[in-house]
Amino acid sequence: MFKLRSLPFSEIEGFISAQTCEYHYGKHHQTYINNLNNLIKGTEFENASLFDIVTKAQGGLFNNAAQIYNHDFYWDCVSAKSSSPSSELSSLIDSSFGSFDKFKEDFLQSATTLFGSGWCWVVYNPTRKKLEIIQTSNAQTPITQGLIPILVVDVWEHAYYIDYKNARPGYLEKFFSHIHWDFVSKSLNTAQKEGLNAVKSYIESLHK
């Protein structure tokens, strides 16, 4: 049986309210856990790892398992404490996008223009050895494409509607100012060293 991970914070002042945490984490994230635990009963995935379910299952099993991982990763990508990208991450951002400012512009534009519900990711492409910005709809996640996430923003309305109503751009600007760059930098480092095993290790650290 899977359990809801602990939240790294109860709120982030000026960005995520306690009420949003209560609903987004305590209700939506918890519901994906509950749904998955019910769906895996009596199936080949009953004793499978979350990583295996995300990468091998389809339909409702995939949707709920992927949403657990997507949310897990999102919570670690934000922080109340300020930080800066590592020199390695800064260098790869520059070589992948031209400059940090261009990266920010492209990322916020991609997240703002994603139609409907979904996620905007920064991933490490192990084939190109570059960073890429990609959108995924609903529960879709880049790991099914062999891409390794290092940063994600949730653009489902339940992530921001309580605090920002329908003003997604305002939420995204606040998100960018609260990115947990230490976590993102560490994610890049493990992605470069371990490939998709970095994702597997991350998931297993939360769901043993």
Side-chain angles (χ1 to χ4, degrees):
M1 299 290 283
F2 295 102
K3 295 181 180 179
L4 184 66
R5 63 159 295 170
S6 61
L7 196 63
F9 43 79
S10 58
E11 65 178 313
I12 296 179
E13 188 174 354
F15 172 42
I16 303 176
S17 67
Q19 187 180 18
T20 287
C21 287
E22 177 186 352
Y23 279 88
H24 192 184
Y25 167 75
K27 297 187 183 298
H28 290 280
H29 198 171
Q30 180 69 67
T31 296
Y32 297 126
I33 294 280
N34 296 343
N35 288 345
L36 184 62
N37 285 332
N38 289 327
L39 287 168
I40 59 176
K41 292 176 183 177
T43 74
E44 62 183 295
F45 296 104
E46 187 165 11
N47 297 307
S49 69
L50 186 66
F51 178 83
D52 283 345
I53 299 173
V54 173
T55 53
K56 297 177 182 178
Q58 297 179 347
L61 279 168
F62 168 80
N63 288 336
N64 285 280
Q67 283 291 77
I68 293 169
Y69 164 69
N70 293 353
H71 280 86
D72 286 342
F73 201 74
Y74 168 74
W75 299 126
D76 283 326
C77 285
V78 292
S79 175
K81 298 179 180 179
S82 62
S83 60
S84 300
S86 66
S87 58
E88 291 81 9
L89 176 56
S90 293
S91 177
L92 193 55
I93 286 174
D94 287 344
S95 63
S96 298
F97 303 103
S99 69
F100 186 84
D101 287 344
K102 186 64 167 63
F103 157 68
K104 178 181 179 181
E105 178 185 345
D106 290 352
F107 180 76
L108 293 181
Q109 175 71 8
S110 181
T112 300
T113 57
L114 190 152
F115 183 77
S117 299
W119 306 80
C120 185
W121 307 79
V122 180
V123 298
Y124 177 70
N125 185 322
T127 302
R128 298 181 61 240
K129 301 190 184 305
K130 295 281 189 179
L131 298 178
E132 299 173 356
I133 296 168
I134 66 169
Q135 301 172 334
T136 61
S137 296
N138 300 317
Q140 293 300 315
T141 185
I143 66 176
T144 60
Q145 305 171 46
L147 303 172
I148 303 124
I150 68 165
L151 174 67
V152 69
V153 62
D154 186 345
V155 290
W156 283 65
E157 279 197 339
H158 64 235
Y160 59 88
Y161 197 82
I162 290 173
D163 297 330
Y164 301 90
K165 300 300 184 275
N166 63 328
R168 185 189 288 185
Y171 157 70
L172 293 171
E173 281 287 349
K174 288 288 187 179
F175 170 87
F176 203 90
S177 67
H178 287 88
I179 291 175
H180 190 349
W181 289 112
D182 290 342
F183 175 77
V184 178
S185 299
K186 180 181 177 182
S187 296
L188 172 64
N189 183 261
T190 54
Q192 290 174 318
K193 290 180 178 178
E194 302 175 22
L196 272 181
N197 281 332
V199 179
K200 184 176 182 180
S201 296
Y202 170 79
I203 291 176
E204 289 177 350
S205 73
L206 296 174
H207 303 281
K208 298 186 185 298

